[in-house]
């Protein structure tokens, strides 16, 4: 039998050291006048099941690769038909025995043969650069081994000049899925091995910089910027716009416009040495914690941020420049001002775009060891000195690569890695190398290495206590005093999984109230669904467990503000409204509107303001609103115009919009930044449409006005000429959202689980009486789940006036209910042909009690199918809030109108029942039925973000209590266009 080597003779892929043969880390830049050759494209590829399952003959010039496959680099082999992706959140998908990994270790051999360009310089050095390889690589060039490396999301370079030849260079790379480095990369995402970032050959001319460091500070009290460029080669730094031409190492002071995320002012410059000319983009700014507050250029910063994993649904973490730009444009257009690069440094080109377009960046190191929490943190690498060199190497490579980006304002040591001296070693190195930026780490709550009191998913109540500096004290007075001196940051909050997140506006109120609470970063930017096909060719997005994984965390990987195809979710639209940098509020009594500038640095001169006067959702008049200059934090109260004298009768509002006054780098002129509505005329009280007839019994049922009812059950069968598939009856169930189901580690009640255990999805409806009186039909029922004595006594009282049918529902609870209800309203079934909707109420998108800020009062039209929100895992969705009336019509315009009387209702319409929605695992499981199912709800339970964070605030609970609500139904004749 063979014996594995002792620890000091482990194979390179199990050695916890960073690797061998690589060059020192240095700054990244996109271009210079030095030659470069991209080695991206098609590579020959062979997959082996183990790390040593194939020979290394493929490195030779004459190696036979005729039977090999091909893969695209950058790329992941598991997304190109070789093996399969796997998703885990916390648990390692292999036995935890650091630094050892399983013998079953998928290993991809890559081979690329290339020629040098004719003009490739013969002098100087050449460097082979890998931007990112997961998780461990061994590299050969022309048969010579260059070395090995780990650290998947950071660059590694090798000096290769003497090995190059004009033709037929053979680059061979062996990539292992698992390595000692895998223990440092447990980052709640797909495990995706491969060469997933660019491979480039770079010429390094003699006397070109090995590295350089741009120091560009700003004094907000004087308006003076200071510039000094450290460089290991003598040279000149020029910034023509500022008239600067200085030697490297020399500091110069000059009046400048500062860089901020709101005003990303960059100055074009150049670093020129005898060997190379490198373009610079200099942003002057000074950042750091002062007096317990994180400031930039002397002003407090409020982070309206998101966490971002790199992701593309077809290419995984191989994200191209156009997609990076699309991400940032979407962020800017949705009022996001900050990004945390969870939980690793992104492609460096992304940071270039953040510099250009304006985002505050928390640059996070390639470190997470969360899976050790499953075993009580035994063997955690940050407490294992064998891993300390790798930890410091990862910190060094991040800082050196990204140090010249003005957008990077905070370094983060990593994520969810417990505590230990390895983190202290990383922090010490970073502080010595770059004291100009603050340092962040969340998982050690004594915060010895962090300049922030950082938390994940703290409740609103905890955030308020921290804002007041009334948080629970630490046992150690010295540590407690240290923590109380720190600004507070929610590095993760508002888990955007499925329908949600809820409660954003309540968090934002706290951030804006307490100086110490400086905002946070929503988890996360995008759903990581990977496309799959059904046998009949329909496409859906797969998640954990859809690819044959033995161990997985289901759809927890789909928790973003964007769907996988980068379509904004309702959660992103809500977030845009919640964090909008201009607040527009009004006072109907005084006829005024107040515009408050919430920018940290910018005025409002880049915005234009306009008003519309709308009656019943239709614009009647419009004009411009003149807003005076406003400094950050300033506000102005302005008179609204006089209401149009010829406006029709009906409920009216003023809508004021703030839009871009000119094109910007991130959005065109007219892009909506913020809006507000001010009530003008309240809704008129409804009046009966005619005399109230008495119900009568006929051969085809009970007749009441335009309605026909079943005499045995009292169910509405038809109204006018419209036959119903199912008449209105009480509904208290919704297909649980991810946030309803909650997280097992959260202390709050998981109401989605309780609702199912209680049986709200299988209530029974008992008819106790069908009563006819002079002017009404009353149906008395009891609605209750099996196996419990809980119930809801429910009376349906029908009256008629003209062609209208009025339904009043009275609900009296019985028993001691242990939970709120999911919803309270009625459900009815309509013919499938009624596929067009129109409503006057909140919209255009869905909303729930704690996600209503983005719902503007208006008049909207869309097909029933467009009302659905295609969450990757189907769940309750599509409710419209504050609906005054809604219509469902067929193509000829015939259908049903439902009006509020008097309170607005929640309106939902879909082509499947909640039971079908609940049973579906993917969107392709939802087949249209021959019925349009309509819910008209008096109340809905809140959403929260309990899939990982806190549930909805109690004020958003749908508490079980006596309730009464009324609706008016009218059949609509056809013939409309």
């Amino acid at each position: 039998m063979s014996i594995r080597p002792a620890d000091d003779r482990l194979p390179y892929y199990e050695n916890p050291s960073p690797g061998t043969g690589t060059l020192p880390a240095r700054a990244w830049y996109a271009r210079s006048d030095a030659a470069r050759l991209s080695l991206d494209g098609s590579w020959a590829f062979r997959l082996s099941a183990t790390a040593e399952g194939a020979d290394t003959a493929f490195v030779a010039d004459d190696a036979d690769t005729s039977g090999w496959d091909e893969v695209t680099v950058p790329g992941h082999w598991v997304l190109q038909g070789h093996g399969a992706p796997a998703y885990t959140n916390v648990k390692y998908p292999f036995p935890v025995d650091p630094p050892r990994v399983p013998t079953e270790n998928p290993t991809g051999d890559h081979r690329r043969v290339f020629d040098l360009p004719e003009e490739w310089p013969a002098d100087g050095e050449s460097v082979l650069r890998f931007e990112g390889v997961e998780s461990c690589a061994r590299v050969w060039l022309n048969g010579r081994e260059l070395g090995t490396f780990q650290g998947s999301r950071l660059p590694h370079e090798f000096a290769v000049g003497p090995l190059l030849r004009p033709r037929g260079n053979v680059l061979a790379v062996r990539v292992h899925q698992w390595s000692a480095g895998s223990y440092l990369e447990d980052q709640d995402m797909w495990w995706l091995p491969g060469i997933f970032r660019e491979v480039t050959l770079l010429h390094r001319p003699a006397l070109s910089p090995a590295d350089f460091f741009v120091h560009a500070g700003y004094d907000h009290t004087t308006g003076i910027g200071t510039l000094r460029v450290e460089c290991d080669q003598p040279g000149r730094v020029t910034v023509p716009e500022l008239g600067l031409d200085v030697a490297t190492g020399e500091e110069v002071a000059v009046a400048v416009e500062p860089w901020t995320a709101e005003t990303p002012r960059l100055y074009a410059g150049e670093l020129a040495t005898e060997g190379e000319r490198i373009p610079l983009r200099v942003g002057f700014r000074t950042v750091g914690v002062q007096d317990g507050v994180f400031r930039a250029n002397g002003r407090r910063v409020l982070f309206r941020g998101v966490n971002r994993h790199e992701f593309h649904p077809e290419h995984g973490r191989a994200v191209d420049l156009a997609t990076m730009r699309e991400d940032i444009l979407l962020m800017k257009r949705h009022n996001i001002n900050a990004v945390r690069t969870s939980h690793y440094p992104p492609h460096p080109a992304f940071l270039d775009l953040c510099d250009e377009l304006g985002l505050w960046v928390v640059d996070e190191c390639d470190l997470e060891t969360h899976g050790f929490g499953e075993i009580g943190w035994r063997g955690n690498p940050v407490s294992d000195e064998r891993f300390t060199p790798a930890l410091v190497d990862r910190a060094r490579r991040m800082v050196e690569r990204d140090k010249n980006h003005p957008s990077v304002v905070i370094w983060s040591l990593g994520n969810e890695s417990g505590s230990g001296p390895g983190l202290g070693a990383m922090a010490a190195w970073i502080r010595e190398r770059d004291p100009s930026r603050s340092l962040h780490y969340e998982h050690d709550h004594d915060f010895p290495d962090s300049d922030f009191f950082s938390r994940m998913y703290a409740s609103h109540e905890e955030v308020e206590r921290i804002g007041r500096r009334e948080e629970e004290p630490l046992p150690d007075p010295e540590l407690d005093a240290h923590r109380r001196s720190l600004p507070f940051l929610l590095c993760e909050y508002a888990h955007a999984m499925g329908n949600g997140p809820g409660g954003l506006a309540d968090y934002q109120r706290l951030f804006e109230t307490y100086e110490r609470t400086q905002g946070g970063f929503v988890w996360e930017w995008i759903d990581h669904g990977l496309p799959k096909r059904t046998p009949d060719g329909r496409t859906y997005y797969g998640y954990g467990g859809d690819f044959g994984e033995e161990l997985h965390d289901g759809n927890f990987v789909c928790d973003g503000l964007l769907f996988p195809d980068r379509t904004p979710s309702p959660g992103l639209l809500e977030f845009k409204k919640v964090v909008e940098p201009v607040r527009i509020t009004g006072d109907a009594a005084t006829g005024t509107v107040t515009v408050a500038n919430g920018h940290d640095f910018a005025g409002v001169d880049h915005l234009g303001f306009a008003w519309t006067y709308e009656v019943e959702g239709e614009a009647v008049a419009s004009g411009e609103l003149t807003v005076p200059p406003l400094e950050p934090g300033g506000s102005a109260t302005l008179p609204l115009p006089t209401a149009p004298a010829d406006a029709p009768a009906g409920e009216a509002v003023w809508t004021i919009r703030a839009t871009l006054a000119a094109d910007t780098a991130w959005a065109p002129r007219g892009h909506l930044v913020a809006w507000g509505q001010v009530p003008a005329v309240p809704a008129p009280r409804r009046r009966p449409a005619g005399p109230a007839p008495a119900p009568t019994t006929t051969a085809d049922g009970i007749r009441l006005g335009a309605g026909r009812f079943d005499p045995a059950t009292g169910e509405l069968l038809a109204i006018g000429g419209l036959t119903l598939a199912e008449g209105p009856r009480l509904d208290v169930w919704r297909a649980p959202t991810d946030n309803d189901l909650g997280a097992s580690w959260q202390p709050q009640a998981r109401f989605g689980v309780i609702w199912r255990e209680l049986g709200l999805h299988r209530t029974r409806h008992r008819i106790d009486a069908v009563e006819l009186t002079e002017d009404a039909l009353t149906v008395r029922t009891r609605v209750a789940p099996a196996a419990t004595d809980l119930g809801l006594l429910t009376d349906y009282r029908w009256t008629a006036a003209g062609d209208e049918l009025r339904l009043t529902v009275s609900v009296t609870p019985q028993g001691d209910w242990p939970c709120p209800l999911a919803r309270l309203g009625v459900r009815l079934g309509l013919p499938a042909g009624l596929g067009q909707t129109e409503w006057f109420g909140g919209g255009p998108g869905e909303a729930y009690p704690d996600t209503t800020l983005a719902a503007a009062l208006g008049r909207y039209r869309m097909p029933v199918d467009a009302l659905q929100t295609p969450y990757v895992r189907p769940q309750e969705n599509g409710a419209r809030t504050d609906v005054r009336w809604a219509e469902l019509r067929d193509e000829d315009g015939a259908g049903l109108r439902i009006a509020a009387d008097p309170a607005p209702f929640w309106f939902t319409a879909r082509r499947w029942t909640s039971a079908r929605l609940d049973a579906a695992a993917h969107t392709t499981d939802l087949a249209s039925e021959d019925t349009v199912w309509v819910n008209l709800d008096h109340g809905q339970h809140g959403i929260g973000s309990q899939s990982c964070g806190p549930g909805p605030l109690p004020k958003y609970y749908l508490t079980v209590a006596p309730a009464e609500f009324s609706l008016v139904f009218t059949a609509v004749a056809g013939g409309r266009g």
Side-chain angles (χ1 to χ4, degrees), residues 32 40 52 82 194 277 297 303 313 334 400 475 504 530-531 540 557 600 626 630 670 677 712 829 882 924 943:
S32 75
D40 298 344
E52 299 172 2
H82 306 281
R277 306 179 79 87
N297 304 332
F303 292 107
H334 289 86
E400 298 294 13
L504 288 168
L530 295 172
Y540 64 93
V557 76
D600 294 328
T626 301
L630 295 175
Q677 290 186 311
D882 286 330
T924 48
I943 296 295

Side-chain angles (χ1 to χ4, degrees), residues 258-426:
W259 187 97
T260 75
E262 294 171 5
T263 55
R265 182 66 160 94
L266 293 172
Y267 291 88
E270 185 179 73
L271 166 62
T273 69
E274 190 172 331
E276 188 176 15
R277 306 179 79 87
I278 302 170
L280 302 177
R281 296 195 305 176
V282 182
F284 293 88
R285 53 95 186 115
T286 297
V287 296
V289 175
Q290 301 168 13
D291 302 322
V293 176
F294 180 80
R295 303 179 191 274
N297 304 332
R299 297 189 66 89
R300 171 185 183 259
V301 172
L302 180 56
F303 292 107
R304 302 165 167 93
V306 292
N307 286 277
R308 175 185 177 267
H309 277 310
E310 292 173 304
F311 182 75
H312 187 283
E314 276 82 35
H315 309 302
R317 284 188 284 281
V319 178
D320 60 279
L321 187 64
T323 301
M324 297 179 210
R325 180 176 288 274
E326 182 182 359
D327 275 348
I328 296 179
L329 294 181
L330 281 167
M331 290 179 190
K332 295 288 289 187
R333 290 170 184 172
H334 289 86
N335 295 329
I336 290 164
N337 72 355
V339 62
R340 174 178 175 232
T341 69
S342 52
H343 300 294
Y344 53 84
H347 192 291
F350 180 80
L351 301 177
D352 254 7
L353 293 170
C354 292
D355 295 342
E356 172 191 332
L357 297 169
L359 285 174
W360 307 112
V361 175
V362 178
D363 199 358
E364 193 149 271
C365 196
D366 192 7
L367 173 62
E368 181 168 334
T369 66
H370 204 175
F372 284 88
E374 299 290 302
I375 57 171
W377 296 102
R378 295 186 302 276
N380 186 9
V382 303
S383 297
D384 183 342
E385 63 182 10
R386 295 176 299 171
F387 281 91
T388 300
L391 296 173
V392 174
D393 179 73
R394 289 176 184 232
R396 178 187 296 113
R397 289 186 182 276
M398 172 182 70
V399 170
E400 298 294 13
R401 190 196 75 167
D402 298 341
K403 59 183 178 283
N404 294 329
H405 291 283
S407 60
V408 175
V409 294
I410 298 169
W411 301 117
S412 181
L413 299 180
N415 185 68
E416 292 177 323
S417 296
S419 59
L423 293 165
M426 296 170 71

Side-chain angles (χ1 to χ4, degrees), residues 668-687:
R669 179 180 183 271
H671 167 76
L672 181 65
V673 174
W675 59 272
Q677 290 186 311
V678 184
V681 177
R685 295 285 297 179
R686 287 188 58 82
R687 292 195 178 129

Side-chain angles (χ1 to χ4, degrees), residues 20-24 26 35-40 43 73 110 112 114 116 120 125-133 137-142 144-149 154-164 169-174 195 197-204 397:
T20 59
T22 57
L23 294 170
R26 65 188 181 99
R36 61 177 58 205
L37 174 65
S38 171
L39 299 179
D40 298 344
W43 289 49
V73 171
H110 301 68
R112 173 85 149 84
F114 66 94
L116 291 180
W120 193 263
E125 177 59 276
S126 289
V127 167
L128 179 64
R129 182 179 178 94
F130 295 86
E131 296 291 349
V133 181
R138 183 181 180 189
V139 186
W140 297 264
L141 180 64
N142 294 330
R144 179 75 63 84
E145 182 170 350
L146 303 179
T148 65
F149 62 84
L154 289 161
H156 295 83
E157 293 181 329
F158 298 97
V160 297
L163 301 178
L164 290 171
N169 292 280
V170 177
L171 175 57
V173 185
R174 172 163 285 178
I195 305 173
R197 289 184 185 158
E198 296 87 350
V199 182
T200 312
L201 185 67
L202 303 169
H203 181 239
R204 306 301 302 131
R397 289 186 182 276

